[in-house]
Amino acid sequence: MACTAESVAAALRAVAAVVAEHRDELVRLDREIGDGDHGENLNRGFAALVSKLDSSVPASPSAVLRLAATTLISTVGGAAGPLYGTAFLRAATSVGDVAVLDAAAVAAALESALDGVVARGKAEVGDKTMVDALTPAVVAAESVAATGGGVAGVLEAAAEAAEQGASSTVPLVARKGRASYLGERSAGHLDPGARSTALLLGALAGAAR
């Protein structure tokens, strides 16, 4: 797969479709331990991004990722907008101005995205947040890239690890965000941010196949 600006834009359109498909699920998950707006907010943000991409696709992968960042920051409410916006912004900075991303660049972009989320949210693994999905995703992506895997393999490994990481949040007691207000009652619920992270990476992997 040639990871060009057009293919990155196509992958983000796939993300928007998956978010729309799972909007109600994310609303339900967030309603159980949060304020119930995660699915609606993300759906609005990615729909706005698709609208912009339909008008014009930026010239480089970095510019596409930067467009995603600014759109999500300006249209997604709650904590998700700044967190996802920062993730895409850090990824854009990581890839630089190259015209085509290779597997190592994609893995590095995911690592930069994680660093941005951690810096913004001050969360760590075990806090019951999107970090619980994104951290193992980065480890898996880097492992595949280091052994010569391609972009599709990197994203597939990241998606599978994120899915497992998201599932691992179910028994956890939240230590960050609105869910932390529930204390022990937050255990037994899938974290909506971890779930949306797994959905995003799954959509990216699907687009790369």
Side-chain angles (χ1 to χ4, degrees), residues 57-139:
V57 174
S60 69
S62 175
V64 175
L65 294 170
R66 195 173 298 277
L67 177 65
T70 56
T71 303
L72 295 178
I73 289 171
S74 63
T75 59
V76 177
L83 287 171
Y84 274 115
T86 299
F88 278 103
L89 193 59
R90 291 290 189 94
T93 301
S94 171
V95 301
D97 293 328
V98 298
V100 180
L101 306 181
D102 60 14
V106 171
L110 288 176
E111 182 180 17
S112 294
L114 171 62
D115 290 344
V117 169
V118 170
R120 170 70 69 174
K122 312 298 183 190
E124 58 187 27
V125 171
D127 284 344
K128 199 179 179 85
T129 72
M130 60 192 293
V131 171
D132 289 295
L134 193 51
T135 298
V138 168
V139 172

Side-chain angles (χ1 to χ4, degrees), residues 16-180:
V18 167
V19 168
E21 179 185 352
H22 290 269
R23 172 193 170 279
D24 291 348
E25 177 195 355
L26 294 173
V27 167
R28 175 181 58 77
L29 291 173
D30 196 31
R31 190 173 289 151
E32 290 173 352
I33 57 172
D35 50 17
D37 62 359
H38 189 57
E40 183 60 40
N41 282 340
L42 275 190
N43 187 45
R44 180 174 59 252
F46 280 101
L49 174 59
V50 168
S51 179
K52 291 182 179 181
L53 291 173
D54 287 345
S55 296
S56 176
V57 174
S60 69
S62 175
V64 175
L65 294 170
R66 195 173 298 277
L67 177 65
T70 56
T71 303
L72 295 178
I73 289 171
S74 63
T75 59
V76 177
L83 287 171
Y84 274 115
T86 299
F88 278 103
L89 193 59
R90 291 290 189 94
T93 301
S94 171
V95 301
D97 293 328
V98 298
V100 180
L101 306 181
D102 60 14
V106 171
L110 288 176
E111 182 180 17
S112 294
L114 171 62
D115 290 344
V117 169
V118 170
R120 170 70 69 174
K122 312 298 183 190
E124 58 187 27
V125 171
D127 284 344
K128 199 179 179 85
T129 72
M130 60 192 293
V131 171
D132 289 295
L134 193 51
T135 298
V138 168
V139 172
E142 290 178 333
S143 176
V144 172
T147 54
V151 170
V154 164
L155 290 173
E156 190 68 37
E160 290 177 2
E163 190 73 32
Q164 294 175 14
S167 296
S168 76
T169 65
V170 173
L172 297 176
V173 174
R175 296 194 296 244
K176 290 289 182 181
R178 189 177 292 271
S180 66

